[in-house]
Amino acid sequence: QVQLVESGGGLVQAGGSLRLSCAASESILSINVMGWHRQAPGKQRELVALVTRGGSTNYADSVKGRFTISRDNPKNTVYLQMNSLKPEDTAVYSCYADRTGSWDRSWGQGTQVTVSS
């Protein structure tokens, strides 16, 4: 299991920005895919963004053009830059790491993001 520690959540007004960080306990060069899910109260968990070891990215339609996922290999950290935040982005955001595949997934503890209108 990869240990993941998230930081950067908080309260922000609509239109504002936040950057989430996910620090891994091992070299992320050994991890196939890292990404972020979110879950809002009463809703299903949804994939927000992911980045592969090769640097390919994928985003949920709802965040395309506003969120950017990136990885800093020397720091073993993945970031989620969130701009133009909307109240509907309010959720608990959780980082995950698939060392090989989804059957080998580790999760962070989650961080709350609240966007006020």
Side-chain angles (χ1 to χ4, degrees):
Q1 286 279 311
V2 180
Q3 303 302 312
L4 302 170
V5 178
E6 299 136 334
S7 60
L11 173 64
V12 64
Q13 288 188 332
S17 298
L18 284 173
R19 188 178 77 160
L20 305 183
S21 300
C22 175
S25 59
E26 63 185 67
S27 172
I28 63 174
L29 291 173
S30 67
I31 299 173
N32 193 31
V33 178
M34 294 187 71
W36 296 86
H37 279 79
R38 69 184 179 187
Q39 187 165 21
K43 294 186 177 181
Q44 287 189 331
R45 185 171 61 196
E46 63 172 342
L47 175 66
V48 177
L50 63 86
V51 59
T52 70
R53 180 165 41 203
S56 298
T57 58
N58 196 17
Y59 298 91
D61 288 343
S62 58
V63 307
K64 283 181 181 176
R66 299 188 297 123
F67 291 11
T68 302
I69 190 169
S70 62
R71 50 194 295 162
D72 187 332
N73 293 333
K75 293 184 177 180
N76 296 325
T77 300
V78 170
Y79 301 100
L80 184 67
Q81 178 67 44
M82 305 185 295
N83 298 328
S84 302
L85 282 161
K86 304 176 181 180
E88 51 263 44
D89 293 318
T90 295
V92 175
Y93 285 69
S94 299
C95 174
Y96 75 93
D98 292 347
R99 189 185 275 115
T100 51
S102 59
W103 58 88
D104 189 21
R105 178 164 294 177
S106 301
W107 289 97
Q109 79 281 5
T111 185
Q112 177 70 45
V113 171
T114 303
V115 184
S116 63
S117 58

